[in-house]
Amino acid sequence: MRKSSLVFTARLPKPSLLGSEILLVYDESLVKYSTEFKSWLKSFPLRYPVAAGEKLKSVDEFPLHIHKIVALCRKSSSRNLTVVVVGGGSVGDFGGFVASVLKRGVRLIQIPSTWLAAIDSAHGGKTALNVGSAKNQIGTFYPADNIFLVKSLLLSQPSARSFEGFGELLKIALLAGGSFWKSFSKEKNVTPDLLWKYLRSAIQEKYKIVNKDPLEKTGHRHLLNLGHTVGHALEVYHELPHGIAINYGLDFSLRYGVHLKLMTRKDYDALMTYPVMAYLLSPSRDQLLFSNAQFLKNMQNLLLSDKKKTSSHKLRFVFLKNPGKATIVEVTVDDLLIEICRQKEEEWND
Ligand SMILES: NC(=O)c1ccc[n+]([C@@H]2O[C@H](COP(=O)([O-])OP(=O)(O)OC[C@H]3O[C@@H](n4cnc5c(N)ncnc54)[C@H](O)[C@@H]3O)[C@@H](O)[C@H]2O)c1
Ligand SMILES: [Zn+2]
Protein backbone atom coordinates (compact mmCIF):
# COMPACT_ATOMS: atom_id res chain seq x y z
CA MET A 1 0.00 0.00 0.00
CA ARG A 2 1.19 3.49 -0.86
CA LYS A 3 2.85 5.39 2.04
CA SER A 4 1.54 8.76 3.17
CA SER A 5 4.06 11.45 3.92
CA LEU A 6 3.41 13.35 7.15
CA VAL A 7 4.02 17.04 7.66
CA PHE A 8 3.76 18.58 11.13
CA THR A 9 3.30 22.30 10.82
CA ALA A 10 2.34 25.31 12.95
CA ARG A 11 0.06 26.87 10.32
CA LEU A 12 -1.95 25.84 7.25
CA PRO A 13 0.38 25.08 4.30
CA LYS A 14 0.84 27.49 1.41
CA PRO A 15 -1.73 26.54 -1.27
CA SER A 16 0.98 26.44 -3.96
CA LEU A 17 2.63 23.53 -2.07
CA LEU A 18 -0.45 21.35 -2.45
CA GLY A 19 -0.76 20.91 -6.20
CA SER A 20 -1.55 22.66 -9.48
CA GLU A 21 -5.32 22.00 -9.72
CA ILE A 22 -6.98 21.56 -6.37
CA LEU A 23 -10.48 20.67 -5.31
CA LEU A 24 -10.87 21.73 -1.68
CA VAL A 25 -13.44 19.57 0.15
CA TYR A 26 -13.94 21.05 3.62
CA ASP A 27 -16.12 21.14 6.71
CA GLU A 28 -18.19 24.30 6.27
CA SER A 29 -18.28 24.91 10.04
CA LEU A 30 -14.51 25.53 10.15
CA VAL A 31 -14.96 29.14 9.06
CA LYS A 32 -16.62 29.74 12.45
CA TYR A 33 -13.69 28.38 14.42
CA SER A 34 -10.62 29.52 12.51
CA THR A 35 -10.07 32.94 10.92
CA GLU A 36 -6.83 31.57 9.45
CA PHE A 37 -8.82 28.88 7.63
CA LYS A 38 -11.46 31.40 6.54
CA SER A 39 -8.94 33.52 4.67
CA TRP A 40 -6.82 30.51 3.49
CA LEU A 41 -9.73 28.85 1.68
CA LYS A 42 -10.18 31.91 -0.55
CA SER A 43 -6.98 30.91 -2.40
CA PHE A 44 -8.76 27.86 -3.86
CA PRO A 45 -11.01 28.47 -6.89
CA LEU A 46 -12.57 24.97 -6.70
CA ARG A 47 -14.25 24.61 -3.32
CA TYR A 48 -16.79 22.08 -2.04
CA PRO A 49 -18.07 22.87 1.47
CA VAL A 50 -19.91 20.07 3.29
CA ALA A 51 -21.80 19.63 6.56
CA ALA A 52 -19.89 17.15 8.74
CA GLY A 53 -21.60 14.09 10.15
CA GLU A 54 -22.91 10.65 9.28
CA LYS A 55 -25.45 12.00 6.74
CA LEU A 56 -22.53 13.19 4.61
CA LYS A 57 -21.35 9.57 4.44
CA SER A 58 -24.78 8.25 3.37
CA VAL A 59 -24.63 6.33 0.10
CA ASP A 60 -28.07 7.77 -0.78
CA GLU A 61 -26.67 11.31 -0.74
CA PHE A 62 -23.54 10.41 -2.69
CA PRO A 63 -25.02 10.83 -6.23
CA LEU A 64 -26.04 14.41 -5.38
CA HIS A 65 -22.52 15.23 -4.21
CA ILE A 66 -20.72 13.55 -7.06
CA HIS A 67 -22.84 15.32 -9.71
CA LYS A 68 -21.80 18.69 -8.25
CA ILE A 69 -18.17 17.63 -7.80
CA VAL A 70 -17.83 16.34 -11.37
CA ALA A 71 -19.32 19.62 -12.65
CA LEU A 72 -16.83 21.62 -10.54
CA CYS A 73 -13.87 19.60 -11.83
CA ARG A 74 -14.96 19.32 -15.46
CA LYS A 75 -11.92 21.20 -16.73
CA SER A 76 -9.37 19.28 -14.62
CA SER A 77 -7.52 16.19 -15.77
CA SER A 78 -7.06 13.16 -13.53
CA ARG A 79 -3.28 13.63 -13.83
CA ASN A 80 -3.30 17.17 -12.43
CA LEU A 81 -6.18 17.10 -9.98
CA THR A 82 -5.59 16.89 -6.21
CA VAL A 83 -8.42 16.56 -3.71
CA VAL A 84 -7.50 18.36 -0.48
CA VAL A 85 -9.78 17.38 2.40
CA VAL A 86 -10.02 19.53 5.53
CA GLY A 87 -12.23 18.30 8.33
CA GLY A 88 -12.88 15.64 10.94
CA GLY A 89 -13.30 11.90 10.38
CA SER A 90 -16.62 12.10 8.52
CA VAL A 91 -15.30 14.63 6.00
CA GLY A 92 -12.07 12.61 5.70
CA ASP A 93 -13.97 9.36 5.01
CA PHE A 94 -16.20 11.07 2.44
CA GLY A 95 -13.45 13.12 0.76
CA GLY A 96 -11.08 10.15 0.67
CA PHE A 97 -13.78 8.07 -1.02
CA VAL A 98 -14.39 10.84 -3.58
CA ALA A 99 -10.66 11.04 -4.38
CA SER A 100 -10.46 7.25 -4.77
CA VAL A 101 -13.23 7.04 -7.38
CA LEU A 102 -13.20 10.45 -9.10
CA LYS A 103 -11.70 10.06 -12.59
CA ARG A 104 -10.61 6.56 -11.40
CA GLY A 105 -8.52 8.04 -8.57
CA VAL A 106 -6.74 11.35 -8.10
CA ARG A 107 -4.09 12.67 -5.67
CA LEU A 108 -5.33 13.01 -2.12
CA ILE A 109 -4.19 15.29 0.70
CA GLN A 110 -5.77 15.04 4.15
CA ILE A 111 -5.70 17.93 6.63
CA PRO A 112 -7.51 16.60 9.71
CA SER A 113 -9.23 19.21 11.87
CA THR A 114 -10.36 17.09 14.84
CA TRP A 115 -8.14 15.21 17.27
CA LEU A 116 -9.88 11.98 16.35
CA ALA A 117 -9.02 12.47 12.69
CA ALA A 118 -5.47 13.65 13.42
CA ILE A 119 -4.67 10.69 15.70
CA ASP A 120 -6.63 8.02 13.94
CA SER A 121 -8.95 8.32 10.96
CA ALA A 122 -6.75 10.31 8.54
CA HIS A 123 -4.14 7.53 8.69
CA GLY A 124 -4.27 4.02 7.33
CA GLY A 125 -6.13 4.75 4.11
CA LYS A 126 -9.65 3.61 4.94
CA THR A 127 -12.43 5.59 3.26
CA ALA A 128 -16.11 4.91 3.94
CA LEU A 129 -19.76 5.49 3.17
CA ASN A 130 -22.76 4.32 5.22
CA VAL A 131 -25.66 2.26 3.90
CA GLY A 132 -28.79 3.15 5.86
CA SER A 133 -27.94 2.93 9.54
CA ALA A 134 -25.11 0.45 8.87
CA LYS A 135 -21.87 2.42 9.17
CA ASN A 136 -18.87 2.14 6.83
CA GLN A 137 -20.31 -0.61 4.63
CA ILE A 138 -18.80 0.75 1.42
CA GLY A 139 -15.27 2.02 1.05
CA THR A 140 -11.82 1.78 -0.42
CA PHE A 141 -8.26 1.56 0.87
CA TYR A 142 -6.84 4.81 -0.44
CA PRO A 143 -4.02 6.31 1.65
CA ALA A 144 -3.50 10.05 1.26
CA ASP A 145 -0.34 11.11 -0.56
CA ASN A 146 0.27 13.73 2.13
CA ILE A 147 -1.21 14.34 5.55
CA PHE A 148 -0.69 17.76 7.14
CA LEU A 149 -0.98 17.95 10.92
CA VAL A 150 -1.63 21.64 11.49
CA LYS A 151 -1.28 22.83 15.07
CA SER A 152 -3.29 26.06 14.67
CA LEU A 153 -6.22 24.20 13.04
CA LEU A 154 -6.32 21.47 15.68
CA LEU A 155 -6.08 24.01 18.49
CA SER A 156 -9.00 25.95 16.98
CA GLN A 157 -11.33 23.28 18.42
CA PRO A 158 -13.09 24.10 21.68
CA SER A 159 -10.90 22.61 24.43
CA ALA A 160 -13.79 20.44 25.70
CA ARG A 161 -13.31 18.36 22.54
CA SER A 162 -9.91 17.23 23.80
CA PHE A 163 -11.72 14.52 25.75
CA GLU A 164 -13.00 13.05 22.50
CA GLY A 165 -9.51 12.74 21.06
CA PHE A 166 -8.15 11.55 24.37
CA GLY A 167 -9.94 8.17 24.18
CA GLU A 168 -8.08 7.37 20.96
CA LEU A 169 -4.77 8.64 22.37
CA LEU A 170 -5.15 6.52 25.49
CA LYS A 171 -6.02 3.46 23.38
CA ILE A 172 -2.92 3.83 21.27
CA ALA A 173 -0.67 4.54 24.29
CA LEU A 174 -1.96 1.36 25.97
CA LEU A 175 -1.37 -0.68 22.80
CA ALA A 176 2.13 0.80 22.43
CA GLY A 177 3.44 0.34 25.99
CA GLY A 178 7.19 1.03 26.27
CA SER A 179 8.55 4.54 26.44
CA PHE A 180 5.37 6.06 24.94
CA TRP A 181 3.24 4.67 27.75
CA LYS A 182 5.90 5.48 30.37
CA SER A 183 5.89 9.15 29.48
CA PHE A 184 2.15 9.44 28.76
CA SER A 185 1.13 7.70 31.98
CA LYS A 186 2.84 10.42 34.02
CA GLU A 187 0.59 13.15 32.61
CA LYS A 188 -1.93 14.64 34.99
CA ASN A 189 -4.36 16.67 32.87
CA VAL A 190 -6.01 16.30 29.49
CA THR A 191 -5.36 19.53 27.60
CA PRO A 192 -5.15 20.32 23.88
CA ASP A 193 -1.37 20.81 24.30
CA LEU A 194 -1.10 17.28 25.66
CA LEU A 195 -2.75 15.91 22.53
CA TRP A 196 -0.39 17.87 20.29
CA LYS A 197 2.61 16.71 22.36
CA TYR A 198 1.81 13.01 21.81
CA LEU A 199 0.36 13.27 18.30
CA ARG A 200 3.53 12.14 16.53
CA SER A 201 4.04 9.10 18.81
CA ALA A 202 0.38 8.11 18.46
CA ILE A 203 0.50 8.28 14.67
CA GLN A 204 3.78 6.34 14.54
CA GLU A 205 2.22 3.61 16.67
CA LYS A 206 -0.85 3.42 14.43
CA TYR A 207 1.41 3.01 11.36
CA LYS A 208 3.41 0.27 13.11
CA ILE A 209 0.19 -1.72 13.47
CA VAL A 210 -1.32 -0.83 10.06
CA ASN A 211 1.91 -1.59 8.17
CA LYS A 212 1.86 -5.18 9.45
CA ASP A 213 -1.64 -5.67 8.01
CA PRO A 214 -2.41 -2.84 5.55
CA LEU A 215 -5.46 -4.45 3.93
CA GLU A 216 -6.86 -6.00 7.13
CA LYS A 217 -6.10 -9.54 5.97
CA THR A 218 -4.13 -11.08 8.86
CA GLY A 219 -6.18 -9.73 11.77
CA HIS A 220 -3.24 -7.78 13.27
CA ARG A 221 -4.86 -4.45 12.41
CA HIS A 222 -7.83 -5.54 14.50
CA LEU A 223 -5.79 -4.61 17.63
CA LEU A 224 -6.75 -1.00 16.87
CA ASN A 225 -10.27 -1.97 17.89
CA LEU A 226 -9.32 -2.09 21.57
CA GLY A 227 -12.29 -0.57 23.44
CA HIS A 228 -14.33 -0.23 20.26
CA THR A 229 -16.65 -3.29 20.27
CA VAL A 230 -18.80 -2.31 23.23
CA GLY A 231 -17.71 1.33 22.81
CA HIS A 232 -19.36 1.52 19.37
CA ALA A 233 -22.59 -0.06 20.59
CA LEU A 234 -22.78 2.46 23.48
CA GLU A 235 -21.92 5.31 21.11
CA VAL A 236 -24.92 4.52 18.94
CA TYR A 237 -27.31 3.67 21.79
CA HIS A 238 -26.55 6.73 23.95
CA GLU A 239 -25.67 9.02 21.00
CA LEU A 240 -22.31 9.78 22.62
CA PRO A 241 -19.31 11.38 20.88
CA HIS A 242 -17.11 8.57 19.56
CA GLY A 243 -14.09 9.27 21.78
CA ILE A 244 -16.16 9.42 24.97
CA ALA A 245 -17.79 6.07 24.14
CA ILE A 246 -14.34 4.59 23.46
CA ASN A 247 -13.08 5.72 26.85
CA TYR A 248 -15.81 3.69 28.43
CA GLY A 249 -15.34 0.79 26.01
CA LEU A 250 -11.70 0.62 27.14
CA ASP A 251 -12.70 0.27 30.77
CA PHE A 252 -15.24 -2.42 29.82
CA SER A 253 -12.53 -4.35 27.98
CA LEU A 254 -10.05 -4.08 30.87
CA ARG A 255 -12.57 -5.36 33.40
CA TYR A 256 -13.70 -8.14 31.09
CA GLY A 257 -10.02 -9.11 30.82
CA VAL A 258 -9.72 -9.24 34.63
CA HIS A 259 -12.82 -11.45 34.78
CA LEU A 260 -11.31 -13.84 32.20
CA LYS A 261 -7.96 -13.73 34.05
CA LEU A 262 -6.15 -12.25 31.06
CA MET A 263 -5.07 -9.40 33.38
CA THR A 264 -4.68 -9.73 37.14
CA ARG A 265 -6.80 -7.57 39.42
CA LYS A 266 -3.53 -6.32 40.93
CA ASP A 267 -2.31 -5.13 37.50
CA TYR A 268 -5.69 -3.51 36.81
CA ASP A 269 -5.60 -1.66 40.15
CA ALA A 270 -2.01 -0.54 39.51
CA LEU A 271 -2.99 0.71 36.04
CA MET A 272 -5.94 2.66 37.42
CA THR A 273 -3.69 4.63 39.78
CA TYR A 274 -2.37 6.65 36.80
CA PRO A 275 -4.23 9.98 36.56
CA VAL A 276 -4.80 9.52 32.80
CA MET A 277 -6.84 6.38 33.51
CA ALA A 278 -9.33 8.32 35.64
CA TYR A 279 -10.85 9.76 32.44
CA LEU A 280 -12.10 6.32 31.46
CA LEU A 281 -14.85 6.41 34.02
CA SER A 282 -16.76 9.42 32.84
CA PRO A 283 -19.66 9.00 32.21
CA SER A 284 -19.95 6.33 34.89
CA ARG A 285 -20.99 2.73 34.43
CA ASP A 286 -24.31 3.48 36.14
CA GLN A 287 -25.20 5.97 33.44
CA LEU A 288 -24.22 3.68 30.55
CA LEU A 289 -24.89 0.03 31.38
CA PHE A 290 -28.29 -1.42 32.17
CA SER A 291 -29.42 -4.98 32.68
CA ASN A 292 -33.05 -4.65 31.56
CA ALA A 293 -34.34 -6.66 28.61
CA GLN A 294 -34.88 -3.69 26.31
CA PHE A 295 -31.30 -2.37 26.73
CA LEU A 296 -29.83 -5.85 26.22
CA LYS A 297 -31.93 -6.39 23.08
CA ASN A 298 -30.60 -3.10 21.67
CA MET A 299 -27.02 -4.03 22.56
CA GLN A 300 -27.53 -7.44 20.95
CA ASN A 301 -28.71 -5.87 17.68
CA LEU A 302 -25.85 -3.35 17.67
CA LEU A 303 -23.23 -6.01 18.44
CA LEU A 304 -24.68 -8.30 15.76
CA SER A 305 -24.32 -5.52 13.19
CA ASP A 306 -20.58 -5.20 14.02
CA LYS A 307 -18.62 -5.63 10.79
CA LYS A 308 -15.79 -7.36 12.64
CA LYS A 309 -17.85 -10.50 13.29
CA THR A 310 -16.14 -13.79 12.45
CA SER A 311 -19.41 -15.73 12.13
CA SER A 312 -23.10 -14.96 12.61
CA HIS A 313 -22.74 -14.51 16.38
CA LYS A 314 -19.01 -14.47 17.17
CA LEU A 315 -16.68 -11.47 17.25
CA ARG A 316 -13.00 -10.88 17.83
CA PHE A 317 -12.60 -8.96 21.08
CA VAL A 318 -9.39 -7.13 21.96
CA PHE A 319 -8.09 -7.52 25.52
CA LEU A 320 -5.12 -5.83 27.16
CA LYS A 321 -2.82 -8.00 29.27
CA ASN A 322 -0.58 -5.07 30.16
CA PRO A 323 0.39 -1.83 28.42
CA GLY A 324 2.17 -2.93 25.23
CA LYS A 325 0.59 -6.41 25.28
CA ALA A 326 -2.82 -6.92 23.73
CA THR A 327 -4.50 -10.11 22.62
CA ILE A 328 -7.52 -10.98 20.47
CA VAL A 329 -10.02 -13.59 21.67
CA GLU A 330 -13.14 -14.77 19.90
CA VAL A 331 -16.27 -14.25 22.02
CA THR A 332 -19.97 -14.61 21.27
CA VAL A 333 -22.49 -11.79 21.38
CA ASP A 334 -24.18 -13.68 24.25
CA ASP A 335 -20.86 -13.71 26.17
CA LEU A 336 -20.78 -9.92 25.84
CA LEU A 337 -24.38 -9.50 27.01
CA ILE A 338 -23.68 -11.68 30.05
CA GLU A 339 -20.55 -9.62 30.76
CA ILE A 340 -22.55 -6.37 30.50
CA CYS A 341 -24.95 -7.68 33.17
CA ARG A 342 -22.05 -8.97 35.29
CA GLN A 343 -20.23 -5.62 35.21
CA LYS A 344 -23.45 -3.75 35.94
CA GLU A 345 -24.07 -5.82 39.07
CA GLU A 346 -20.47 -6.31 40.17
CA GLU A 347 -19.28 -4.87 43.49
CA TRP A 348 -15.99 -3.38 42.42
CA ASN A 349 -15.24 -0.98 45.33
CA ASP A 350 -14.55 2.04 43.16
N1 LIG B 1 -11.30 5.96 8.25
C1 LIG B 1 -11.00 5.54 9.45
O1 LIG B 1 -10.02 4.78 9.64
C2 LIG B 1 -11.82 5.99 10.62
C3 LIG B 1 -11.40 5.68 11.93
C4 LIG B 1 -12.15 6.15 12.99
C5 LIG B 1 -13.30 6.91 12.76
N2 LIG B 1 -13.69 7.18 11.48
C6 LIG B 1 -14.89 8.00 11.21
O2 LIG B 1 -14.66 9.30 11.73
C7 LIG B 1 -15.92 9.92 12.03
C8 LIG B 1 -15.84 10.57 13.39
O3 LIG B 1 -14.78 11.50 13.40
P1 LIG B 1 -14.96 13.02 13.91
O4 LIG B 1 -15.51 13.04 15.29
O5 LIG B 1 -13.69 13.74 13.64
O6 LIG B 1 -16.12 13.47 12.91
P2 LIG B 1 -16.77 14.75 12.29
O7 LIG B 1 -16.13 15.01 10.98
O8 LIG B 1 -18.24 14.47 12.26
O9 LIG B 1 -16.46 15.95 13.29
C9 LIG B 1 -17.12 16.05 14.53
C10 LIG B 1 -17.60 17.52 14.77
O10 LIG B 1 -16.46 18.37 14.89
C11 LIG B 1 -16.66 19.55 14.09
N3 LIG B 1 -15.31 20.06 13.79
C12 LIG B 1 -14.41 19.59 12.90
N4 LIG B 1 -13.26 20.28 12.99
C13 LIG B 1 -13.44 21.23 13.94
C14 LIG B 1 -12.60 22.28 14.49
N5 LIG B 1 -11.34 22.45 14.13
N6 LIG B 1 -13.15 23.06 15.45
C15 LIG B 1 -14.41 22.88 15.87
N7 LIG B 1 -15.23 21.92 15.41
C16 LIG B 1 -14.75 21.10 14.44
C17 LIG B 1 -17.46 19.04 12.92
O11 LIG B 1 -18.14 20.10 12.26
C18 LIG B 1 -18.42 18.06 13.61
O12 LIG B 1 -19.52 18.77 14.17
C19 LIG B 1 -16.96 8.82 11.94
O13 LIG B 1 -17.69 8.95 10.74
C20 LIG B 1 -16.14 7.53 11.91
O14 LIG B 1 -16.77 6.48 11.24
C21 LIG B 1 -12.96 6.75 10.42
ZN1 LIG C 1 -12.12 5.15 17.32
Side-chain angles (χ1 to χ4, degrees), residues 141-183:
F141 282 102
Y142 202 72
D145 295 273
N146 303 92
I147 303 168
F148 287 82
L149 290 313
V150 183
K151 190 174 183 186
S152 59
L153 185 67
L154 290 165
L155 293 183
S156 72
Q157 295 173 83
S159 61
R161 299 211 45 177
S162 314
F163 286 104
E164 292 173 33
F166 182 72
E168 299 292 344
L169 184 58
L170 185 56
K171 172 195 87 175
I172 209 89
L174 285 169
L175 286 172
S179 57
F180 180 5
W181 171 252
K182 210 169 164 191
S183 156

Side-chain angles (χ1 to χ4, degrees), residues 27 29 54 57 88-90 93 113-114 116 121 126 135 161:
D27 179 337
S29 78
E54 292 310 304
K57 289 171 57 179
S90 66
D93 279 4
S113 68
T114 61
L116 185 141
S121 65
K126 283 198 208 171
K135 276 188 69 167
R161 299 211 45 177

